[in-house]
Amino acid sequence: MSSIGEIEAKGAAIPLMVKALKVGYPGSPALLESISFTVKAGQIMGILGPSGCGKSTLLRHLVGLERAQCGVIELFGDNLWANDGANLDQIRRKFGIMYQGGALFGNLSLIENVSLPLKEFTTLKPGAIETAARLKLALVGLSGFEHSQPDSLSGGMRKRAAIARALALEPGLLFLDEPSAGLDPVTSAGLDHLIVTLARNLSLAFVIVTHELGSIMATLDEAILLDKEKKGIIDQGTPDYLAHRSPVPQAAAFFRRAKQA
Ligand SMILES: Nc1ncnc2c1ncn2[C@@H]1O[C@H](COP(=O)(O)OP(=O)(O)OP(=O)(O)O)[C@@H](O)[C@H]1O
Ligand SMILES: [Mg+2]
């Protein structure tokens, strides 16, 4: 459990600061260059752009799965790759991730899925782990489903459970890659509502990759728009600005193509 001092320090630090980042894969030309943006506590930041422009790749760099060719990533004031990544595990505990697809372990019940990070990364006793996992499931509206298997649930409930698992270690920042992909419009709107509630009530910051117009408009405070040819951020602002007032032609084109949920 965090001490009060740690909680205060976490509250004061900026969840994510990205400076002059260059991302790609070894042996291939860079996909994105000069990426700089900041995500404040409680802010819901979107990463938008056409398929294949490097959104998931950028996310993989931001969470430390890939190492950037140059630039700096600071999470809650800590440089992700300081000392050649010596503190990576400690920094990784400060944020949660839901990957594209949002997989749960299919052979484990929901409460077992949410308990996993607590078992792995804390010294809490089994009773305390169960209480904490139940609370996380309650937070996402899944009280009563603790012992359900993922397969027996709807896609929306599985996404909620994946968010509960990502929240297990009480992070201040969540990365979500296409959270509403594959969900019907009503379920998707419910997930959007959950995200906004978590951001406002817990001051949780989010970085969300999404193509869904409804989710973009309903959840994002701000977004960066990426472009494949320009290999970088071509505009940044509120969804309303990007959709209606951006001088960049790719912005209007992106919003025309965004899925109308
Ligand atoms: N492990 C990898 N090694 C090399 N190249 C990769 C790897 N993963 C992805 N790529 C390439 O990087 C580019 C960007 O892929 P990425 O998945 O980041 O795009 P995206 O913006 O998330 O697309 P989508 O909207 O379809 O999810 C693509 O050309 C892809 O083929
Ligand atoms: Mg992707």
Side-chain angles (χ1 to χ4, degrees):
M1 281 286 166
S2 310
S3 71
I4 298 292
E6 275 171 344
I7 291 167
E8 279 173 0
K10 191 167 107 175
I14 292 179
L16 177 66
M17 223 148 73
V18 181
K19 292 179 209 153
L21 201 69
K22 183 171 176 179
V23 314
Y25 293 99
S28 311
L31 287 166
L32 297 166
E33 294 172 340
S34 308
I35 301 293
S36 299
F37 65 99
T38 298
V39 183
K40 292 175 272 189
Q43 190 179 22
I44 308 178
M45 174 65 81
I47 299 179
L48 309 180
S51 203
C53 72
K55 302 179 297 296
S56 295
T57 303
L58 175 58
L59 224 51
R60 290 177 61 81
H61 283 72
L62 298 181
V63 302
L65 289 173
E66 306 283 340
R67 190 163 183 174
Q69 294 165 16
C70 46
V72 176
I73 300 165
E74 278 184 15
L75 286 144
F76 299 99
D78 290 325
N79 183 334
L80 193 58
W81 291 102
N83 308 321
D84 253 6
N87 301 330
L88 207 55
D89 281 345
Q90 220 180 341
I91 296 173
R92 277 193 182 137
R93 290 187 47 177
K94 297 184 184 178
F95 58 84
I97 315 169
M98 190 170 88
Y99 297 104
Q100 210 162 348
L104 295 165
F105 291 103
N107 55 339
L108 301 181
S109 67
L110 295 197
I111 195 159
E112 287 168 336
N113 264 286
V114 179
S115 299
L116 268 188
L118 294 160
K119 282 183 186 155
E120 194 174 345
F121 293 108
T122 74
T123 53
L124 291 176
K125 299 208 164 67
I129 289 183
E130 185 180 334
T131 305
R134 278 182 187 278
L135 279 172
K136 294 295 173 281
L137 285 168
L139 203 59
V140 302
L142 286 175
S143 284
F145 294 92
E146 289 83 2
H147 299 290
S148 301
Q149 298 296 123
D151 280 357
S152 69
L153 302 174
S154 69
M157 290 164 97
R158 284 201 292 271
K159 292 281 170 74
R160 284 171 180 269
I163 290 179
R165 190 176 61 186
L167 288 172
L169 297 171
E170 314 219 326
L173 170 65
L174 277 192
F175 292 96
L176 309 179
D177 198 351
E178 306 265 8
S180 39
L183 300 181
D184 66 75
V186 173
T187 308
S188 180
L191 196 66
D192 293 343
H193 184 254
L194 172 66
I195 291 167
V196 173
T197 304
L198 291 172
R200 303 296 175 252
N201 292 353
L202 304 180
S203 261
L204 195 58
F206 283 86
V207 174
I208 306 181
V209 174
T210 174
H211 282 114
E212 316 273 332
L213 190 62
S215 299
I216 292 170
M217 292 303 185
T219 60
L220 303 184
D221 294 315
E222 202 176 322
I224 55 171
L225 179 64
L226 303 175
D227 185 70
K228 210 169 174 172
E229 278 71 44
K230 295 265 169 23
K231 294 189 175 189
I233 299 175
I234 50 169
D235 207 355
Q236 176 170 356
T238 64
D240 184 57
Y241 159 80
L242 289 171
H244 305 296
R245 297 191 302 281
S246 168
V248 172
Q250 293 94 324
F254 174 84
F255 279 88
R256 264 199 312 277
R257 283 194 308 267
K259 285 191 204 121
Q260 314 273 341

